Amino acid sequence: MSAKRLLSVLTVGLLSLSPAPASATADNSAADGYRVGVGIGDITGEAAEVGMLGYADPGQTTSGIASRQWARAFVVADGAGRHVAFVSAEIDFVTQAVQMEVLKRLQARYGTTYTDQNVVLTATHTHSGPGGFSEYLMWNLTTLGFEAPVFEAIVSGIVRAVGAAHDGLAPGTVKIAEGTLSGANVNRSLPAFQNNPAADRARFPGAVDTRMTVLRFEQGGRPVGLLDFFATHGTSMTPANHLISADNKGYAAHLIEDGVHGVDWAHRGAFVAAFAQTNAGDMSPNLRNGGAQGPTDDEFENTRIIGKLQADRAQQLFESATEELTGPVDARGRYVDFSAVQVAGQYTPDGQAHRTCPGALGQNFTAGAEDGPGPPIVEEGDLSTNPLLLLAGIVVNPTPAEVRACQAPKDVFLGSGSQSPPWTPQIMPLQILRIGQLAITTAPGEFTVVAGQRVRDAVAAELGGVATHQILAGYANAYAGYVTTPEEYDLQHYEGAATHFGRYTGPAYAQELAKLAVALRTGQPTPSAVQPPALPQNRISVRPGVVLDTPPLGKSFGSVVTQPDASYARGATVRADFVTGHPNNNLRNEGTFLEVQRQDGGAWTTVSTDAGWQTTYRWKREYLGVSTAQIAWTVPAGAAPGSYRIVHHGDAKGLTGSIKPFSGATRTFTVTP
C-alpha cells in the first residue's frame, strides 16, 4: 500500500473520527479420489464518491466501473470428507473483519466443514477498488471511515462464491503444471534486493520471480477451473484512475473465462479462472524506469498487456498439466501475535535469537513506491531523521521509546501497533493447505521475492516428503504490510519502512509457518493461544451518503442526453449519456448498470454488460442531485453486424428516502462489417 499524501489523510481521519480450530488428524494415507467445485461471486463496491484503497490518495475516489470485481472460489474434498477452500478476491487486500464475517456465515450454513483452519481468503491486490472494509483505522483513512456497503458486497460475494463451489462439488481431479513467465514484472526495489547475500540473489536472475504455477480443476474429465499463481503487483492502473478495475489479473481472468471458454455474463461460473498472488512485494508490472511506468503511457493498455501475458502463459500450462494431485486433503492454521515473536537463531542472519516489535511504519513509508510515489518529503533509503515527520508522528501517533529502539534502523513515523486499539492488526493468521503433494502456504503480507523464498525454504524443510510442490500465497486472510528480509530492511526503502514488526518480521514468518508445516506432517493440532479482536466500535463513517437524486428540468431518469451515432465500424467506441441516479443507491451486485443489446428478430439479446472489459460506466455529478451516466462500448473485432442499442439501469432516491429503479435505452445504431 502506497503512502501518497498520508499526512493529510491522517489529519482528516483523526478529526473525523471466534471459531474453534479444526480437529487434528494423523491420517496421511491416500484418500479415495477428490470432489472438486468452483464458484464465483460479485464483490463490486460503491461506484461513486468513495475513497479507493491501494495508493492512499484521498483524492482518488470512485466514479464508475471499468470492470466489476469478483471473488473466485475453489473447493477440494477428499474421500475422508476433509475440505479445503481457496478464494481469490479482486480487492487490494483481505481484512480481518472480512475474514471473520465470512467464516461466521459459512459456519452458519455448513457447520464445522469450513473454519479458520481450512478456508483461505486471498486478494489479487488491485489498487482500483473502493476501500473502507476494515475495522483498523489505518486502512480506512482514505474513505474517512468504515463503508458498510463495500464490506457487505465483499463478504456476501465471497460467501456466494464458496457456496457455489461447495454446492457444486462433484467427483473430479486437480492437476498441476509449473513454468516461468518473463516480461510481466520488474523489481521496483533493486537496491534493497541487491543488499541480500549473493546466494539469495543468484536464485532470481534479473531480480525477478518468473515462476508460475497453474492448477487445473476437472469434473468427470471436463475442465471447470483454472487457478494461477504469479507475482506481479495490481498497479497497472495508476493513482489517476477513478474507475473500479480488477487490474491486470482481472483482465487475465476475463481472457480465460470469456475468451477461451466463452463464459459470458449470463453463464458466469460455468468455468472459473483466478489469477492469485504469491510474493509480489517488490514485483511491479510497470516495466519502465524501475517500476515507475507501465509498458506504455496508457494505463488501460498496460492492464491488457500484463494481463494477456499472464493469461497466455497460464493457458499453455493449463493445457500441458498432466500431473494429478493425489492423497489427503488437510490444513493447519494458527493465529500468532506478531508484536512479540521470539525468533530462534536458525531463522536469523546472525544465528542469534531476536524478537519482533509492535507494529510501526517508518518515515520512508511516506515516500511511497516507484509505482505509487508519495509527496516529496523524504526519499526511499534516506536514513536521516526528518523533523517534520518526527513531530507529526509524535503528535498524532506517539510511539514508546522501546518500540523505536526495537524497530531500528527504521526511523518510526507511526507506531501503529502501540495505540489502543491498534491502528493496524497485530494478531495475524497463518495457514498451510495441503492437496495431495501440493502445499499452499499462506500469510497476510506482501513478501519480497527473497523474503518469500526464505519462507518457502523453511516450510519445505519441515514438510519432508509430505509435499513435492509448494506455493506461497500472500495477501491472505488479513493485512499487515510488507515483509522484507533483514538485509533489505536495513536500507529502509519503501518496502522495508512498511514492514510492520521490525527487522525480524520475515524470519518470524518463516519460523511460525515452519511450525505449522511440522504439525501438518505429523498430524498434530495447532490451537491458537490468541485470537484477533473484533472492533465494531471502529465501524464509523463520516461520509454523508446519498441525499437526493433529481433529474434536470424537462428530463426524467433514464432519459438519453447524448445519443450514439447512426453506425460504427468494429474497433470504434460507442458513447451514450443518460440522466441517472447515484450508483450507491444500489450496487447491483450480480447485476449491471448497463447492457449492450443486439436486435435478434423481434427480441433484444444482451452481448455485454458492465462486467465486460469492452465497456466503461462513468458517473458524473453535474450539480446538486443531478448526475449523468456516461457509457462507452468499444465494438469488438468479432462483433456481429446488425442493429444495437445501449440500455442503462439505475436507481434514484426521492425526497422521502425511497429508492426506485429505472431504465432507459438509446436509439438503435448499426455495427458494420
Side-chain angles (χ1 to χ4, degrees):
M1 181 179 180
S2 180
K4 192 173 184 180
R5 290 196 284 276
L6 178 63
L7 290 175
S8 62
V9 182
L10 281 168
T11 303
V12 175
L14 284 168
L15 292 174
S16 66
L17 283 177
S18 143
S23 59
T25 175
D27 178 14
N28 286 316
S29 62
D32 293 332
Y34 292 155
R35 290 183 300 139
V36 304
V38 299
I40 189 170
D42 187 353
I43 58 172
T44 310
E46 293 171 293
E49 300 185 318
V50 170
M52 302 175 85
L53 182 61
Y55 289 116
D57 182 351
Q60 188 192 20
T61 55
T62 56
S63 63
I65 297 174
S67 64
R68 281 194 171 265
Q69 302 165 275
W70 301 98
R72 295 173 171 88
F74 302 82
V75 172
V76 182
D78 67 11
R82 293 171 297 223
H83 294 65
V84 294
F86 185 96
V87 176
S88 176
E90 292 172 341
I91 52 180
D92 188 58
F93 53 76
V94 178
T95 66
Q96 284 188 328
V98 166
Q99 185 220 20
M100 293 166 71
E101 184 63 23
V102 166
L103 290 172
K104 177 182 175 182
R105 296 188 191 184
L106 289 177
Q107 288 163 7
R109 182 170 176 179
Y110 299 109
T112 59
T113 299
Y114 297 108
T115 71
D116 57 5
Q117 297 256 323
N118 66 350
V119 175
V120 58
L121 311 180
T122 70
T124 63
H125 201 47
T126 175
H127 284 43
S128 292
F133 49 94
S134 176
E135 291 181 337
Y136 285 92
L137 175 65
M138 184 71 72
W139 307 145
N140 288 347
L141 287 173
T142 58
T143 52
L144 302 183
F146 187 79
E147 287 294 323
V150 177
F151 176 82
E152 178 58 31
I154 293 170
V155 169
S156 59
I158 291 174
V159 171
R160 283 195 301 272
V162 176
H166 177 90
D167 296 344
L169 282 169
T173 58
V174 183
K175 297 176 182 176
I176 187 170
E178 296 172 322
T180 60
L181 170 62
S182 299
N185 55 13
V186 296
N187 196 309
R188 71 181 192 191
S189 191
L190 269 177
F193 172 85
Q194 291 165 348
N195 207 44
N196 289 305
D200 288 314
R201 301 196 307 270
R203 300 178 74 169
F204 297 98
V208 294
D209 188 352
T210 62
R211 293 171 293 185
M212 178 179 281
T213 301
V214 169
L215 301 183
R216 177 185 176 112
F217 293 80
E218 298 178 352
Q219 291 180 338
R222 177 178 62 89
V224 295
L226 177 155
L227 176 54
D228 175 89
F229 294 88
F230 179 75
T232 197
H233 248 71
T235 51
S236 291
M237 299 297 288
T238 71
N241 171 55
H242 290 266
L243 299 181
I244 293 173
S245 171
D247 213 276
N248 57 71
K249 288 187 177 290
Y251 185 66
H254 157 74
L255 288 178
I256 298 298
E257 290 176 348
D258 188 5
V260 175
H261 294 275
V263 179
D264 61 17
W265 176 72
H267 302 91
R268 58 195 181 278
F271 185 94
V272 175
F275 285 75
Q277 287 285 11
T278 61
N279 38 231
D282 49 0
M283 296 291 97
S284 173
N286 299 311
L287 307 182
R288 294 184 291 162
N289 299 330
Q293 295 176 289
T296 75
D297 292 332
D298 183 338
E299 60 185 334
F300 290 91
E301 182 63 17
N302 296 338
T303 298
R304 289 188 287 267
I305 289 171
I306 301 301
K308 188 174 188 303
L309 286 169
Q310 293 175 79
D312 288 349
R313 184 62 176 131
Q315 183 61 23
Q316 291 173 356
L317 293 173
F318 183 82
E319 292 172 353
S320 68
T322 57
E323 180 184 349
E324 187 175 331
L325 300 181
T326 60
V329 165
D330 210 346
R332 290 294 182 277
R334 178 186 286 127
Y335 292 100
V336 176
D337 185 351
F338 266 76
S339 68
V341 176
Q342 298 297 322
V343 186
Q346 73 184 92
Y347 297 101
T348 64
D350 62 4
Q352 302 298 310
H354 294 279
R355 63 181 292 269
T356 59
C357 323
L361 297 168
Q363 293 188 9
N364 290 347
F365 168 73
T366 65
E370 283 72 11
D371 44 12
I377 299 175
V378 297
E379 294 183 3
E380 283 192 280
D382 184 355
L383 295 178
S384 61
T385 299
N386 183 293
L388 174 63
L389 292 179
L390 177 63
L391 177 61
I394 291 173
V395 170
V396 304
N397 190 282
T399 305
E402 59 269 23
V403 174
R404 292 184 178 275
C406 180
Q407 288 275 353
K410 177 189 291 178
D411 218 337
V412 173
F413 169 42
L414 298 174
S416 60
S418 300
Q419 313 310 307
S420 182
W423 284 21
T424 55
Q426 308 272 88
I427 297 172
M428 310 313 301
L430 304 178
Q431 282 175 293
I432 301 179
L433 306 185
R434 179 188 177 189
I435 307 173
Q437 64 269 35
L438 168 67
I440 303 177
T441 302
T442 79
E446 304 190 48
F447 289 74
T448 64
V449 292
V450 175
Q453 185 59 53
R454 290 183 184 178
V455 167
R456 297 186 197 211
D457 290 344
V459 170
E462 299 297 349
L463 283 175
V466 168
T468 55
H469 301 278
Q470 188 198 162
I471 297 165
L472 173 62
Y475 310 91
N477 296 317
Y479 182 72
Y482 282 78
V483 183
T484 53
T485 67
E487 296 89 341
E488 293 166 344
Y489 184 89
D490 288 343
L491 292 195
Q492 281 298 289
H493 278 241
Y494 168 72
E495 293 80 7
T499 294
H500 284 208
F501 305 111
R503 189 172 190 266
Y504 300 98
T505 300
Y509 275 109
Q511 170 183 282
E512 297 305 308
L513 285 163
K515 291 178 182 177
L516 288 184
V518 172
L520 184 67
R521 172 172 52 83
T522 61
Q524 297 302 308
T526 54
S528 296
V530 291
Q531 292 286 329
L535 301 171
Q537 68 271 27
N538 285 352
R539 295 192 177 193
I540 300 171
S541 177
V542 300
R543 199 174 59 81
V546 181
V547 178
L548 176 69
D549 294 301
T550 56
L553 188 65
K555 300 286 186 180
S556 59
F557 292 113
S559 296
V560 181
V561 178
T562 303
Q563 291 281 4
D565 293 339
S567 66
Y568 295 87
R570 293 166 176 164
T573 298
V574 184
R575 165 80 182 269
D577 296 350
F578 297 81
V579 176
T580 194
H582 202 293
N584 295 359
N585 290 326
N586 181 352
L587 305 191
R588 295 190 166 265
N589 290 134
E590 307 294 350
T592 182
F593 288 102
L594 68 92
E595 292 181 70
V596 179
Q597 297 179 339
R598 183 181 68 246
Q599 194 166 23
D600 185 8
W604 290 95
T605 300
T606 299
V607 298
S608 190
T609 68
D610 64 14
W613 285 74
Q614 301 86 15
T615 62
T616 58
Y617 159 63
R618 298 177 187 272
W619 178 86
K620 181 183 179 183
R621 184 186 294 279
E622 301 293 348
Y623 55 90
L624 299 176
V626 177
S627 60
T628 56
Q630 302 172 346
I631 295 172
W633 175 54
T634 300
V635 183
S643 296
Y644 289 77
R645 69 179 183 180
I646 293 176
V647 177
H648 169 49
H649 304 291
D651 302 85
K653 189 172 186 178
L655 282 170
T656 63
S658 63
I659 296 173
K660 296 182 179 179
F662 63 85
S663 295
T666 67
R667 67 187 181 191
T668 61
F669 59 90
T670 302
V671 170
T672 60

